[in-house]
């Protein structure tokens, strides 16, 4: 029973506890090549949040991890069977309701721990900042935290070596043998500005990849996943600690 996981703790513990910071893991429910579970992003967001929160808790900060929101923005994956989509406008309503609860109970800092590339909370945070000036909201994409090349030969973008390694380490029972996995080969945009990254358009997933994966999973190992995960939670745990211990009125130097 971890006191920093809301779903595991109880009223006896929570009622008199002051919290410095809440963490909201936000994920997606979508196909991940042939070999990874639909809940891959959920498992990543949940385990990384819990791991980072545990390290920060051990250093004395009071942090509470909220339940993972299991559905993300999957508009570009509409034609992939049972990829669930929550529109950004819906997400912003859900996020507002959660922020309202935190604000009402005097928990004035929130970290959104995002595991899904289609989710983008920045604009929602700007708008919520106007409605709730007392709240400090941070968003963090775990996959941008560390240099992936330091851990993986071909990290990949979706169900590639990085995600496959993580899941092999975290939930080996939910990963099919790699001979069942597709190659994760993706088609690139014809227009160079998109390839160079200075113009953006949404990728239509079924036109980009045949097996829903983007990135070769075949060099993935649980050992790579373990090393990456442990460094991730250390680094994000430091962020949690710093957010919790920095005065909201005093964020600049
Ligand atoms: Zn994923």
């Amino acid at each position: 029973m971890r006191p920093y996981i809301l779903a595991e703790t109880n009223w006896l513990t929570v009622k008199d506890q002051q919290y410095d910071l809440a963490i909201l893991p936000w994920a997606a429910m979508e196909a991940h090549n042939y070999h990874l579970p639909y809940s891959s992003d959920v498992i990543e967001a949940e385990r990384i949040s819990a791991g980072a929160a545990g390290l920060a808790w051990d250093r004395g900060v009071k942090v509470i991890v909220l339940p993972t929101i299991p559905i993300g923005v999957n508009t570009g994956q509409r034609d992939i069977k049972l990829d669930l989509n929550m529109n950004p406008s819906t997400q912003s309503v859900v996020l507002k309701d959660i922020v309202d609860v935190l604000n009402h109970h005097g928990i004035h800092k929130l970290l959104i721990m995002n595991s899904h590339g289609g989710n983008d909370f920045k604009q929602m945070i700007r708008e919520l900042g106007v409605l709730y000036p007392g709240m400090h909201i941070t968003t963090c994409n775990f996959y941008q935290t560390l240099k992936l090349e330091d851990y993986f030969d071909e990290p990949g973008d979706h169900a590639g070596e990085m995600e496959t390694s993580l899941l092999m380490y975290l939930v080996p029972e939910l990963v099919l043998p790699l001979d069942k996995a597709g190659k994760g080969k993706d088609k690139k945009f014809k227009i160079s500005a998109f390839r160079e990254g200075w113009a953006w358009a949404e990728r239509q997933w079924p036109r980009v990849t045949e097996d829903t994966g983007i990135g070769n999973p075949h060099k993935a190992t649980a050992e790579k996943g373990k090393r990456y995960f442990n460094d991730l939670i250390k680094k994000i745990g430091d962020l949690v600690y710093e957010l919790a211990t920095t005065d909201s009125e005093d964020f600049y130097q």
Side-chain angles (χ1 to χ4, degrees):
M1 194 189 293
R2 294 168 293 182
Y4 49 89
I5 307 285
L6 184 61
E8 294 181 14
T9 190
N10 43 60
W11 174 235
L12 184 69
T13 309
V14 169
K15 76 180 166 50
D16 298 320
Q17 179 69 62
Q18 297 293 322
Y19 295 101
D20 305 313
L21 173 80
I23 301 178
L24 179 64
W26 206 312
M29 190 62 63
E30 56 177 344
H32 273 72
N33 199 324
Y34 294 115
H35 63 294
L36 295 184
Y38 269 65
S39 62
S40 293
D41 291 9
V42 178
I43 292 160
E44 291 157 9
E46 201 165 279
R47 299 293 185 98
I48 292 165
S49 296
L55 293 175
W57 183 274
D58 290 344
R59 292 168 74 186
V61 304
K62 297 303 171 204
V63 50
I64 189 81
V65 181
L66 308 179
T68 306
I69 309 282
I71 307 177
V73 176
N74 271 68
T75 45
Q77 288 87 349
R78 194 170 159 75
D79 293 327
I80 295 177
K81 194 172 186 179
L82 285 179
D83 274 18
L84 303 184
N85 173 47
M86 187 186 283
N87 282 323
S89 53
T90 314
Q91 284 189 316
S92 107
V93 174
V94 171
L95 182 59
K96 179 172 175 278
D97 285 356
I98 291 168
V99 167
D100 190 73
V101 170
L102 297 175
N103 185 61
H104 187 65
H105 290 286
I107 303 167
H108 292 298
K109 289 177 187 156
L110 170 65
L111 167 63
I112 305 169
M113 197 63 243
N114 178 44
S115 62
H116 173 64
N119 293 338
D120 187 351
F121 300 101
K122 279 191 210 162
Q123 300 301 72
M124 299 174 202
I125 291 171
R126 293 178 199 276
E127 195 167 335
L128 285 167
V130 176
L131 289 174
Y132 296 94
M135 288 292 303
H136 187 279
I137 309 174
T138 303
T139 177
C140 172
N141 300 325
F142 89 80
Y143 44 86
Q144 292 172 327
T145 306
L146 294 167
K147 239 175 95 198
L148 298 176
E149 292 71 26
D150 293 344
Y151 298 85
F152 306 102
D153 297 301
E154 298 173 54
D157 189 348
H158 180 74
E161 187 182 322
M162 180 273 270
E163 280 203 284
T164 303
S165 298
L166 260 186
L167 275 284
M168 282 173 137
Y169 169 57
L170 295 173
V171 284
E173 68 281 10
L174 297 183
V175 180
L176 291 179
L178 284 180
D179 60 6
K180 296 275 189 284
K183 291 195 176 89
K185 231 181 117 38
D186 63 312
K187 289 186 186 154
K188 311 286 186 230
F189 277 113
K190 284 182 181 167
I191 297 170
S192 59
F194 295 142
R195 292 198 307 273
E196 291 164 12
W198 55 276
W200 183 90
E202 187 175 38
R203 287 176 292 185
Q204 291 302 320
W205 224 252
R207 294 189 177 171
V208 171
T209 156
E210 272 171 25
D211 50 31
T212 81
I214 293 184
N216 171 19
H218 288 275
K219 290 181 188 155
T221 67
E223 290 67 38
K224 289 180 184 177
K226 180 180 180 182
R227 188 176 148 247
Y228 177 56
F229 180 80
N230 286 332
D231 285 357
L232 258 185
I233 61 170
K234 231 179 279 161
K235 190 157 182 189
I236 296 173
D238 286 346
L239 169 66
V240 171
Y241 180 84
E242 282 188 88
L243 281 173
T245 54
T246 303
D247 182 347
S248 288
E249 300 296 315
D250 194 20
F251 257 76
Y252 310 99
Q253 59 181 12

